[in-house]
Amino acid sequence: MNEPDTRTIYMDHAATTPVDPRVVQAMLPFWTIHYGNASSIYSLGRQANQAMEEARRTVAAVLNCDAKEVIFTSCGTESDNLALRGVAFDRRQRAKKNHIITSSIEHHAIGHTVEQLVKQFGFEATFLPVDRYGAVDPGDVERAIRPDTAIISVMYANNEVGAIEPIAEVGAVARRRGIPFHTDAVQAGGQLSLDVQALNVDLLALSAHKFYGPKGVGLLYVRRGTRLLPAQTGGSQERGRRAGTENVPYIVGMAAALELAQAERTAEGARLGRLRDRLVSSLLARIPDAELTGHPAQRLPGHASLLIRGVEAQSVLIALDLAGVAASSGSACASGAPTPSHVLTALGFDPTDALGALRLTLGKENTEADVDFVVAKLPEIVERMRGNG
Ligand SMILES: Cc1ncc(COP(=O)(O)O)c(C=O)c1O
């Protein structure tokens, strides 16, 4: 494989993050030395099991929950699927609950799962609106509740516009009405407090690769007493809630990454917030007809998202890549034709304008010099694309 390109300025940390070298070190022994199956009774197996249970306690300390309430999964998507399908099917079977409440700006791991539950399994769903900044109104959640509501699912922070949702308030509404409340905290992991008691959540999904851990491992917090139908059946791993041999090295890595991220969160968040503000204000000052998407303050610290009118983000991203900058957009390019993001249209942006959505997400390795480089390059690129350069 080629050496990594050292000239690349990586500003797509919402997509994924590099694994912290300390996390790699923590994982290494679990491939070739402590490689036992965590279910085996001999000492190799018991060592693996101990490491996994230690990881579970580490995670539980961050989440302020009991270790037994943590289920390890293969990714954030699986955690979201297990939460939604698991609770929806269980509540339908036991209590004839057939209605799901979610927001209109969820990641597809939630949005497409709800759509499938509606189209293929006969559930009904309410997709809550959001305001211009991407915030859900807890009053809307309350008004959407029906006698047959099975589950409420609202994300903690949005992946496209960085908006932080009023999770504790939504959770208070759900608790008052006795309805299980799930939050997709994949983007918040490592950046915001994950105290499930303060957040009033019954289920919470995380994915390690968003906080400098490995890809392909996640977790689902499930509050004691919240029942769910397992999606994956087989062995009795994860207390019968998720069958399959546990990926011990990745689980160890995820716990190490989460602990580090939480320990460094306050200082790093403040640093990223300053870099992000410098990036946003400098770009808005230099690019005419551009605006910030998402809330100016209620947003993830490293998250900058802009709408640049009169350009197609896909072309801007290619030009940025040629200049050595890795960034992202809000629109998916399916079969060659860019489609506007469901998030930006839910925020009320014009679908054509939404094609100019750009997302720059900062992380640990980014410096002021990186920000200044993008501030120098991006306005030039936009000018050229608009045909003025
Ligand atoms: C908000 C949100 N939820 C869920 C996911 C899916 O996580 P994973 O990549 O671990 O499946 C992502 C990934 O981008 C995300 O941003």
Side-chain angles (χ1 to χ4, degrees), residues 95-371:
K96 297 201 164 43
K97 307 286 184 188
N98 207 48
H99 174 234
I100 298 165
I101 299 175
T102 190
S103 86
S104 47
I105 60 164
E106 298 293 309
H107 186 273
H108 290 323
I110 292 289
H112 285 176
T113 306
V114 174
E115 281 168 23
Q116 193 205 46
L117 285 167
V118 169
K119 287 191 190 130
Q120 310 287 333
F121 295 97
F123 281 89
E124 291 174 27
T126 301
F127 291 87
L128 301 165
V130 291
D131 67 13
R132 183 77 179 174
Y133 297 124
V136 165
D137 176 353
D140 284 342
V141 176
E142 178 113 54
R143 284 183 286 277
I145 291 174
R146 307 190 329 200
D148 65 340
T149 301
I151 183 168
I152 301 170
S153 183
V154 175
M155 70 198 320
Y156 193 173
N158 181 265
N159 44 306
E160 290 185 28
V161 298
I164 299 171
E165 300 298 336
I167 291 308
E169 288 82 350
V170 174
V173 170
R175 174 103 14 112
R176 211 165 47 240
R177 305 291 291 269
I179 301 165
F181 176 43
H182 170 62
T183 192
D184 172 349
V186 169
Q187 286 294 331
Q191 299 204 50
L192 303 178
S193 164
L194 298 174
D195 180 335
V196 293
Q197 313 309 336
L199 289 170
N200 292 327
V201 296
D202 300 307
L203 305 109
L204 177 145
L206 286 178
S207 177
H209 75 102
K210 307 290 186 180
F211 47 84
Y212 307 93
K215 293 168 187 60
V217 61
L219 67 87
L220 179 66
Y221 157 75
V222 184
R223 185 176 293 278
R224 180 171 288 114
T226 305
R227 289 171 57 165
L228 48 81
L229 199 72
Q232 212 160 282
T233 48
S236 58
Q237 291 92 351
E238 300 302 292
R239 304 167 67 77
R241 293 170 299 179
R242 197 270 185 185
T245 301
E246 297 94 342
N247 190 339
V248 177
Y250 279 32
I251 288 168
V252 166
M254 172 164 63
L258 189 62
E259 195 172 36
L260 286 168
Q262 284 294 318
E264 295 166 2
R265 182 168 73 81
T266 310
E268 181 59 2
R271 189 188 77 88
L272 289 178
R274 284 192 298 273
L275 285 183
R276 176 204 62 198
D277 290 346
R278 180 187 178 112
L279 179 65
V280 170
S281 59
S282 309
L283 288 176
L284 292 181
R286 286 170 179 73
I287 304 175
D289 219 5
E291 68 177 283
L292 182 74
T293 57
H295 197 277
Q298 277 298 102
R299 62 186 304 129
L300 292 170
H303 198 294
S305 54
L306 303 178
L307 196 136
I308 306 174
R309 293 190 172 77
V311 296
E312 270 195 8
Q314 300 295 330
S315 317
V316 176
L317 292 180
I318 293 166
L320 275 175
D321 187 32
L322 289 173
V325 178
S328 166
S329 88
S331 56
C333 190
S335 63
T339 40
S341 124
H342 70 287
V343 173
L344 290 172
T345 50
L347 263 63
F349 289 100
D350 175 83
T352 310
D353 287 348
L355 295 177
L358 196 70
R359 181 183 78 177
L360 298 154
T361 45
L362 304 166
K364 276 205 274 210
E365 338 75 61
N366 291 131
T367 61
E368 252 177 44
D370 292 350
V371 167

